[in-house]
Amino acid sequence: AMRPMSVGGAPPTMGGGRPADIRRPEEAVGGEPVDAEESMTPPEPAKKPENPPKFFTYEVDEQGFCTISLSRKPVNSFSLEFFEEFNEWMSWMGDNDEMKAVILTSSIPGVFSAGLDINELHNPKEDRFGFFWSSFQHFFVILNAFPKPLICAINGNSPAGGCIMAIGCDYRIMVDTDSSAEKRPYRIGLNETKLGIPAPRWVMKRYAEVVGHRNAERMLQLGETPTAVDALKLGLVDEVCSADEIKAKAILAAKKYASIESNARYMTRRIMREECLAIIGDEEGQRYDIEATGSIISHPDVQKSLTTYLERLSKGRSKK
């Protein structure tokens, strides 16, 4: 088995541009008491990254609504470099007063995101995997502790990590089918077990918060990815529409959330999500999660499953 993974870089924090945490010190996420005066002090604002993003584009309209369009070909998978870039930009956007809401969508036809880049899990290098999983944790924390309204405009298939990105948002709108003559339905869900891997504990908790414990348990065990219409019935998405409607609907949702007093809305969101955030809310929890995941990922049966999956993907691309 792989030796315990080290947490690469600084541990994820509950940052990402939040207002001052106004809960009592004993209620701090992660269970660690904090100084009362310190808990009232906002963190230093994040600086705008020096280089333009490589894996997405963004534009801000006159209302201050920022639309991020994922563009990492071929399927918007999440690599270490993607997480590092996305986390840095989102931290800045969370702190930027000109940004009133953020909309996440895809510029690649037919796919919102295929989730984690399997190459990061296949025969992983110990040091890189530590950095990768730590960045994934930080990604989850940034989304679920984000101070501005987050709207997800899911305009394609969204399995695994794509679904994790979506459930980190406040409101999810999903396109029902692709543009083919067959009108194939788009799907969303956590299908990690089909690769022999359980979803992270903190993700399972968030999933159960969204779809209910019984639905989550069944769907996680079976690796189900319901269609957009079925996802709506489950509460996994909030609205289903056609491709030509999704942009306008996302703007309307952003406007609705942004109309609520920001501190009251943020604190409500934060308290509702504190249980899933607390699982990786301190350095000890983060390190334990990385070490446990490293042991699972390095198991020969998991690696064999990942090898088979990558070979299948390679054959599929060579036929095109």
Side-chain angles (χ1 to χ4, degrees):
M2 187 175 292
R3 287 182 288 117
M5 301 292 185
S6 59
V7 180
T13 67
M14 300 310 296
R18 72 190 188 281
D21 193 331
I22 59 174
R23 285 176 296 156
R24 297 191 302 277
E26 63 269 24
E27 294 177 329
V29 173
E32 290 296 322
V34 296
D35 181 82
E37 187 174 336
E38 184 180 319
S39 73
M40 295 296 291
T41 306
E44 285 292 313
K47 294 180 180 179
K48 183 178 181 179
E50 293 181 3
N51 299 315
K54 297 178 182 178
F55 303 123
F56 61 85
T57 59
Y58 77 95
E59 57 180 346
V60 185
D61 68 15
E62 66 282 353
Q63 300 175 84
F65 299 158
C66 176
T67 299
I68 292 177
S69 298
L70 305 178
S71 58
R72 184 174 186 254
K73 294 181 178 179
V75 289
N76 284 329
S77 60
F78 302 152
S79 64
L80 169 60
E81 290 75 18
F82 171 88
F83 279 144
E84 289 179 333
E85 178 179 274
F86 183 86
N87 294 348
E88 187 179 16
W89 277 91
M90 285 292 284
S91 294
W92 170 68
M93 290 174 181
D95 279 340
N96 187 337
D97 290 339
E98 294 178 5
M99 308 264 184
K100 305 304 180 187
V102 173
I103 298 167
L104 300 175
T105 193
S106 168
S107 63
I108 298 177
V111 62
F112 175 70
S113 170
L116 300 187
D117 189 332
I118 300 299
N119 292 297
E120 298 284 6
L121 307 178
H122 185 241
N123 297 326
K125 301 292 187 294
E126 183 174 331
D127 289 344
R128 182 176 173 94
F129 181 82
F131 277 104
F132 172 71
W133 204 259
S134 176
S135 296
F136 181 27
Q137 293 172 340
H138 196 189
F139 165 86
F140 181 84
V141 169
I142 285 175
L143 290 174
N144 286 281
F146 198 67
K148 313 285 177 66
L150 265 181
I151 309 302
C152 201
I154 308 163
N155 53 346
N157 287 310
S158 189
C163 180
I164 294 169
M165 176 179 271
I167 62 177
C169 296
D170 295 295
Y171 195 80
R172 291 167 288 281
I173 308 165
M174 188 168 182
V175 173
D176 52 0
T177 67
D178 66 16
S179 57
S180 68
E182 295 84 8
K183 297 289 182 185
R184 290 181 291 253
Y186 286 136
R187 293 179 173 273
I188 183 171
L190 299 176
N191 60 343
E192 284 82 351
T193 53
K194 291 187 175 179
L195 288 177
I197 307 168
R201 184 179 165 206
W202 27 283
V203 170
M204 291 187 192
K205 179 64 179 172
R206 177 68 193 135
Y207 206 45
E209 290 172 353
V210 174
V211 300
H213 192 280
R214 176 63 192 125
N215 284 330
E217 183 180 338
R218 185 194 72 250
M219 293 163 68
L220 283 162
Q221 287 193 53
L222 299 177
E224 292 181 353
T225 51
T227 65
V229 171
D230 287 338
L232 178 64
K233 296 173 185 174
L234 290 161
L236 183 51
V237 300
D238 301 295
E239 204 170 341
V240 171
C241 65
S242 62
D244 57 4
E245 296 175 307
I246 194 165
K247 184 176 181 179
K249 286 184 177 291
I251 294 291
L252 280 175
K255 191 177 297 184
K256 184 175 183 179
Y257 275 81
S259 71
I260 305 299
E261 197 280 321
S262 61
N263 277 302
R265 189 202 61 79
Y266 167 76
M267 290 309 300
T268 299
R269 178 190 212 264
R270 177 71 176 272
I271 292 167
M272 290 295 293
R273 301 188 188 206
E274 65 184 353
E275 289 186 21
C276 66
L277 288 168
I279 296 170
I280 47 173
D282 59 24
E283 189 170 350
E284 182 181 355
Q286 295 152 16
R287 287 183 182 277
Y288 174 81
D289 180 61
I290 291 173
E291 290 166 7
T293 304
S295 296
I296 293 169
I297 293 298
S298 61
H299 193 280
D301 289 347
V302 173
Q303 287 301 310
K304 183 179 178 181
S305 176
L306 293 175
T307 298
T308 302
Y309 177 76
L310 287 171
E311 287 174 351
R312 194 165 69 243
L313 275 184
S314 180
K315 288 179 183 176
R317 285 171 187 158
S318 64
K319 290 179 182 178
K320 292 183 180 179

